[in-house]
Amino acid sequence: MAPGANGHANGHAEAAETGILTGTYRVKAGLAQMLKGGVIMDVINVEQARIAEEAGAVAVMALERIPADIRKDGGVARMSDPEMITEIKKAVSIPVMAKARIGHFVEAQILEAIEIDYIDESEVLTMADEDNHINKNKFKVPFVCGCRNLGEALRRVAEGAAMLRTKGEAGTGNVVEAVRHARQVQKELRMVAAMDEDELFVFAKHIQAPFELVKEVARTGKLPVVNFAAGGVATPADAALMMQLGMDGVFVGSGIFKSTDAVKRAKAIVQAVTHFNDAKILAEVSTSLGPAMVGISDIKSDPVNFRDREGASEGQIPKKRKLTGPTEIQLYGSSWEQH
Amino acid sequence: MAVQTQPSDAVQEHGKQHQEQLHVGVLALQGAFEEHANLLRSLGAKVTEVRLPGDFAGLDAIVLPGGESTAMALIGERWGVFPQLREWVATGRPVWGTCAGMILLSNEALMQKEGGQALVGGLDVEICRNYFGSQISSFEQPIDTTLLGLTKEECAGTDVEKPYPAVFIRAPAILSVAGEGVSILAKVRALPCSKARLALEASLNAPAASPERSAKRQRLEPYLTPSEELPEVIVAAKKDNILVTAFHPELTADKRWHAYFLKMVREAQTKT
């Protein structure tokens, strides 16, 4: 149990008498199920949090710098000031999430102590441990983690993540990576569901995921937890695209507050996620929103790469090559420094 | 957690009882509507996801799922689903709200977002959103369901003698019942979280006529004064054709609450 996890249920009588359990996996994953079909918006202050709530967001992600600015400004990106998070928590009635660095379990302990509703162990912040992610099973507060494929999704679930999201490429306003990651996960889910039982052992080895979880996915045909889209969603059409690709909901980071009319765009994206299959409604809500965030079209040659940040991926990383054009693919790597 | 259902088998089993299939709408603006739909289908019901006013056609009952009540209210007002829901409830047709759905079906809710939120209304109770606190205080607790008066056969083989494993997620609670005819189906004991406490205090200090205020003080006092025993709050209630639960029957494989609701819908049909 994480420090600070004691006494959170102090509104209740003794657990031994009443059978009350807090911080169970069902309760942690359950909140993510309640967020389905909804939009979670990045906000940097109380004013933006209120705009998000009024637009119909199901939760807000409280952070000091949105991904687009982290990309631009560089420097070490860390957990936000607890005071700023607490202010936002006071101002809204919907759940409040906050980000901790990959592997930085003390940032997570602090966020748990201020009773944040969900922690995003996020690749957008600078990695604190290049080998290990946070052991999320030790916490009562639930975690959401990014994934590019089924293997990464199940590695995070094994560590205790109660919710997943695509990594996409945050702060670009370009949905291409989120689409790649969503399609990859859905494709691998279909593959594993169609596999012979005998083939699951080697498949688990290939995707570097725990066998028991692979077996469960093969049985149910779906991920054990909710999976949202994230990393590049900028328009109602982007959001609906991700929903039609089988995602359970959408995170919008820089897309809303880097656009010209944040209020209108936020509302439109919320409507688009509910009515993702209704092209007429999508057309209506997409109308006259003003310019979207400018964004980055050539992600592959951009010097910042959030999506390939994962613990212990160094051994498998090929030496990076100098890219000659936007179509050339750089596979792995936690940064774009040339070797 | 992943609920596996076998709709075709369930329909066959259901068919043996020679009952007409019930058609249930699940409000699908946001939240755990899929989980409700799976459980209802496994008990033989036909399910339609309700997103627009046109989706109400031919429905026998409606379920408002767990999710974020503020988001549902904002999405629901835009295309006219909420006015239609209000009419549905006002005409006495069967409806069940879980968690966020329970908030929407109440006439008065404390701890709303700034500026308030739209409600469907129908149940004359005083409800407190997020009574138990933030996610870290979300909990599971076994609750007694003998008041439902269900048999094992009616619940697809669930052992109804055992307590029901109720899942409360940032859950609301009913503090008091104002109108007549509300039957209380389940209670738990807990203190309000600090934010809920502040909201209760603020509501006591709000301007009101003095007899009204003293009545309110009497109602809310037990939640604010520490005593040996924790105060009781209502977490499941029923009035006529309105059922509300503060917990999430859609998150468990135990089907007794869904069976109870479908039984309630059938009884409503035979009455008319």
Side-chain angles (χ1 to χ4, degrees), chain A residues 259-291:
Chain A
S259 72
T260 44
D261 190 344
V263 176
K264 201 167 180 191
R265 185 166 295 267
K267 285 183 182 169
I269 293 178
V270 167
Q271 293 292 342
V273 170
T274 294
H275 301 287
F276 67 91
N277 260 330
D278 191 326
K280 278 191 181 146
I281 288 183
L282 293 176
E284 193 177 325
V285 300
S286 300
T287 307
S288 0
L289 294 179

Side-chain angles (χ1 to χ4, degrees), chain A residues 12 22 27 37 82 95 107 161 193 219 251 277 300 303 334:
Chain A
H12 299 293
T22 55
V27 161
E107 285 188 347
R219 184 176 61 81
F251 282 88
N277 260 330
K300 290 184 185 80
S334 56

Side-chain angles (χ1 to χ4, degrees), chain A residues 161-321:
Chain A
M163 178 179 183
L164 294 163
R165 55 171 175 76
T166 60
K167 282 177 152 177
E169 186 59 34
T172 59
N174 187 339
V175 80
V176 65
E177 292 298 327
V179 167
R180 190 193 317 281
H181 301 159
R183 279 212 182 264
Q184 185 64 26
V185 169
Q186 299 300 88
K187 181 172 80 183
E188 287 175 308
L189 283 174
R190 288 190 294 271
M191 274 166 62
V192 73
M195 268 182 194
D196 186 280
E197 199 189 338
D198 301 1
E199 296 162 345
L200 296 178
F201 302 96
V202 167
F203 182 72
K205 181 184 142 189
H206 276 309
I207 66 167
Q208 302 182 334
F211 173 66
E212 287 306 318
L213 287 174
V214 171
K215 208 165 76 172
E216 190 194 328
V217 166
R219 184 176 61 81
T220 63
K222 55 186 188 183
L223 287 170
V225 297
V226 163
N227 189 18
F228 270 47
V233 174
T235 67
D238 287 350
L241 171 69
M242 297 311 297
M243 294 299 288
Q244 289 197 26
L245 285 172
M247 298 296 101
D248 294 311
V250 175
F251 282 88
V252 188
S254 322
I256 289 173
F257 292 104
K258 281 282 169 191
S259 72
T260 44
D261 190 344
V263 176
K264 201 167 180 191
R265 185 166 295 267
K267 285 183 182 169
I269 293 178
V270 167
Q271 293 292 342
V273 170
T274 294
H275 301 287
F276 67 91
N277 260 330
D278 191 326
K280 278 191 181 146
I281 288 183
L282 293 176
E284 193 177 325
V285 300
S286 300
T287 307
S288 0
L289 294 179
M293 71 179 282
V294 177
I296 296 166
S297 69
D298 186 4
I299 289 182
K300 290 184 185 80
S301 62
D302 194 84
V304 183
N305 173 345
F306 293 137
R307 63 195 178 281
D308 290 335
R309 291 177 181 172
E310 191 194 0
S313 49
E314 203 166 354
Q316 312 138 32
I317 305 172
K319 283 246 157 95
K320 293 172 188 74
R321 293 168 296 145

Side-chain angles (χ1 to χ4, degrees), chain B residues 74-175:
Chain B
L74 288 161
I75 304 166
E77 289 287 356
R78 176 142 178 190
W79 312 99
V81 170
F82 263 46
Q84 192 122 348
L85 275 175
R86 286 190 193 106
E87 197 192 316
W88 181 277
V89 176
T91 51
R93 307 199 64 192
V95 63
W96 175 20
T98 64
C99 194
M102 164 162 130
I103 297 168
L104 294 176
L105 288 174
S106 67
N107 283 348
E108 200 187 336
L110 292 166
M111 288 256 283
Q112 296 187 15
K113 72 175 175 62
E114 213 179 298
Q117 70 180 78
L119 298 170
V120 174
L123 200 61
D124 209 1
V125 296
E126 199 167 34
I127 218 169
C128 183
R129 279 188 69 190
N130 246 324
Y131 177 84
F132 305 92
S134 47
Q135 172 61 14
I136 209 147
S137 306
S138 291
F139 62 102
E140 293 184 45
Q141 182 175 1
I143 58 168
D144 182 64
T145 58
T146 42
L147 283 174
L148 301 188
L150 289 167
T151 64
K152 198 172 176 176
E153 290 69 42
E154 285 172 323
C155 302
T158 306
D159 186 358
V160 288
E161 302 295 314
K162 280 192 185 156
Y164 170 76
V167 183
F168 296 82
I169 295 173
R170 287 172 46 93
I174 297 176
L175 304 182

Side-chain angles (χ1 to χ4, degrees), chain A residues 8 11 13 21 24 26-27 33-34 36 50 53-54 56 58 89 92-93 112 115 117 224 271 274-275, chain B residues 1 29-31 35 51 67 71 74 79 113 129 134-140 170 190-191 195 230 251:
Chain A
H8 282 301
L21 301 168
T24 61
R26 176 141 72 181
V27 161
Q33 284 171 280
M34 295 310 136
K36 284 199 297 182
R50 292 282 306 123
E53 186 179 40
E54 287 303 325
V58 289
K89 213 166 146 335
V92 296
S93 68
E112 184 174 60
E115 300 199 10
D117 294 302
Q271 293 292 342
T274 294
H275 301 287
Chain B
M1 190 195 63
L29 301 175
Q30 186 274 316
E35 288 80 350
R51 288 189 176 82
L74 288 161
W79 312 99
K113 72 175 175 62
R129 279 188 69 190
S134 47
Q135 172 61 14
I136 209 147
S137 306
S138 291
F139 62 102
E140 293 184 45
R170 287 172 46 93
L191 283 169
K195 206 172 168 183
L230 296 173
L251 291 187

